[in-house]
């Protein structure tokens, strides 16, 4: 029975997920594959490289660096989160991403991106992406309006959460029968229609299918939550989520706030640890 780990996005709410991942790694919890969406991809790749503590470390270190995330970066480069700095300078020189450990780990790591031409989700095995793996992580976390589409092998992509925020049905379709799902919203959360529809329609006028997908995103998301509840009840899925809304912005420059959300993730994982082990037997 193949075991999967599914990591929702949510921008800086992903630090909750980072805390969970570190506790899992410290306790030797392994999966046949993981799949990350948006921040779940950008942060989740550290699960495959087995780099405990790296996510919270570099986020706190560069929280106030304008090259990392700033409106200055958005104006100068078209990306709120600086593409070159975040996905090349940091992992290559400032806080090394262990590429060799990533390659050596037999666990597959999938990334969800949204094709800007079709508005549909594309699922990429990052091992098969080869040298483009980091660009896949960047594409999955490239939020619309504040990021430029990322081109990979002639195709352009944006944030995977636009088209498939929690890809449980995709993972089940490729044979993963037992899945641990990490959500970044509390159980009572219900997604509402976007209040920025007019802005999106103008800002993304080149990509009408993306606009159409985003218009229906709340419907798809809430239906996915209903499906997850069914799978959890049947014993096919184990869900970890925060008990209350995480008090952190989509963009966050306060290291103390980052640490607090990360610590909530750690404490939540510790509460679930024995049950997770039992579920994965």
């Amino acid at each position: 029975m193949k075991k999967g780990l599914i990591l929702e996005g949510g921008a800086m709410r992903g630090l909750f997920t980072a805390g969970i991942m570190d506790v899992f790694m410290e306790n030797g919890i392994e999966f046949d594959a993981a799949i990350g969406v948006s921040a779940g991809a950008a942060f989740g790749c550290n699960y495959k490289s087995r780099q405990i503590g790296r996510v919270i470390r570099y986020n706190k270190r560069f929280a106030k660096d304008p090259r990392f995330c700033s409106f200055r970066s958005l104006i100068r480069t078209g990306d709120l989160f600086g593409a070159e700095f975040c996905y090349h300078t940091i992992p290559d020189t400032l806080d090394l991403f262990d590429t060799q450990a990533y390659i050596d780990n037999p666990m597959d790591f999938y990334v969800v991106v949204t094709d800007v031409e079709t508005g549909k989700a594309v699922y990429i095995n990052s091992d098969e992406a080869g040298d483009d793996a980091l660009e896949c992580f960047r594409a999955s976390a490239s939020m619309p309006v504040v990021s430029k589409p990322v081109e990979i092998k002639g195709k352009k992509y944006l944030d995977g959460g636009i088209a498939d925020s929690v890809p449980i049905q995709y993972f089940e379709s490729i044979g993963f029968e037992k899945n641990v799902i990490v959500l970044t919203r509390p159980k009572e959360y219900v997604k509402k229609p976007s209040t920025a529809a007019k802005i999106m329609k103008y800002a993304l006028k080149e990509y009408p299918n993306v606009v159409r997908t985003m218009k229906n995103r709340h419907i798809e998301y809430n239906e996915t939550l209903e499906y997850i509840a069914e799978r959890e009840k049947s014993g096919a899925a184990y869900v970890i989520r925060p008990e209350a809304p995480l008090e952190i912005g989509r963009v966050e420059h306060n290291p103390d706030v980052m640490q607090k959300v990360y610590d909530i993730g750690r404490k939540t994982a510790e509460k679930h640890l024995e049950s997770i082990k039992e579920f994965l037997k």
Side-chain angles (χ1 to χ4, degrees):
M1 186 173 287
K2 293 169 70 176
K3 298 173 289 185
L5 174 64
I6 300 171
L7 306 173
E8 183 184 20
M12 298 310 288
R13 293 197 309 274
L15 291 172
F16 169 82
T17 304
I20 289 171
M21 292 192 307
D22 284 353
V23 170
F24 280 7
M25 286 190 283
E26 289 165 358
N27 287 273
I29 294 179
E30 297 185 354
F31 299 86
D32 297 300
I35 187 167
V37 184
S38 195
F43 295 167
C45 59
N46 293 274
Y47 201 103
K48 183 170 165 63
S49 65
R50 294 190 170 109
Q51 290 180 272
I52 297 170
R54 182 173 179 269
V55 174
I56 185 63
R57 183 175 64 240
Y58 76 72
N59 272 279
K60 288 175 64 177
R61 179 181 173 186
F62 300 111
K64 298 181 180 180
D65 191 318
R67 297 172 297 172
F68 184 65
C69 176
S70 68
F71 284 106
R72 188 180 85 177
S73 173
L74 178 61
I75 293 168
R76 289 185 175 182
T77 70
D79 290 296
L80 184 65
F81 285 86
E84 182 64 28
F85 187 73
C86 293
Y87 293 94
H88 297 284
T89 303
I90 291 176
D92 291 344
T93 62
L94 299 178
D95 195 320
L96 298 181
F97 180 69
D98 194 337
T99 304
Q100 192 57 52
Y102 185 93
I103 293 169
D104 291 344
N105 188 341
M107 182 188 82
D108 286 324
F109 189 77
Y110 291 80
V111 178
V112 185
V113 295
T114 299
D115 185 317
V116 299
E117 297 299 332
T118 66
K120 296 184 180 297
V122 175
Y123 308 92
I124 301 172
N125 186 329
S126 62
D127 283 341
E128 296 171 4
D131 293 340
D132 289 322
L134 283 174
E135 289 298 278
C136 291
F137 306 151
R138 179 164 79 93
S140 186
S142 289
M143 297 182 288
V145 180
V146 296
S147 307
K148 295 182 297 185
V150 178
E151 186 170 335
I152 302 171
K153 293 181 172 64
K155 295 278 190 177
K156 291 183 178 180
Y157 303 107
L158 278 172
D159 195 314
I162 296 170
D164 193 353
S165 296
V166 193
I168 178 171
Q169 294 184 65
Y170 171 74
F171 239 28
E172 289 183 340
S173 76
I174 60 172
F176 290 89
E177 301 168 89
K178 273 205 165 189
N179 293 295
V180 173
I181 305 170
V182 180
L183 302 178
T184 58
R185 297 283 196 182
K187 191 168 187 176
E188 65 274 11
Y189 178 75
V190 176
K191 185 174 281 297
K192 298 178 181 179
S194 172
T195 57
K198 290 183 179 179
I199 296 174
M200 294 294 180
K201 188 174 182 180
Y202 174 76
L204 298 170
K205 59 185 177 182
E206 292 182 68
Y207 310 115
N209 287 324
V210 172
V211 174
R212 190 174 299 112
T213 299
M214 293 190 71
K215 184 179 179 181
N216 297 318
R217 186 175 178 229
H218 66 290
I219 299 171
E220 298 290 339
Y221 185 85
N222 293 332
E223 287 178 349
T224 298
L225 290 184
E226 291 176 4
Y227 181 78
I228 288 171
E230 292 173 5
R231 303 307 286 156
E232 186 177 23
K233 187 175 180 180
S234 73
Y238 190 106
V239 183
I240 303 180
R241 50 168 69 89
E243 295 178 357
L246 298 169
E247 296 180 2
I248 190 168
R250 293 186 67 81
V251 175
E252 184 59 63
H253 298 292
N254 187 332
D256 293 335
V257 173
M258 292 179 172
Q259 185 68 50
K260 182 178 180 180
V261 170
Y262 170 81
D263 288 342
I264 291 171
R266 287 193 61 92
K267 290 175 183 176
T268 302
E270 288 164 358
K271 288 180 183 178
H272 286 268
L273 200 54
E274 294 308 314
S275 296
I276 288 286
K277 290 177 180 178
E278 186 65 27
F279 173 77
L280 293 173
K281 277 185 180 179

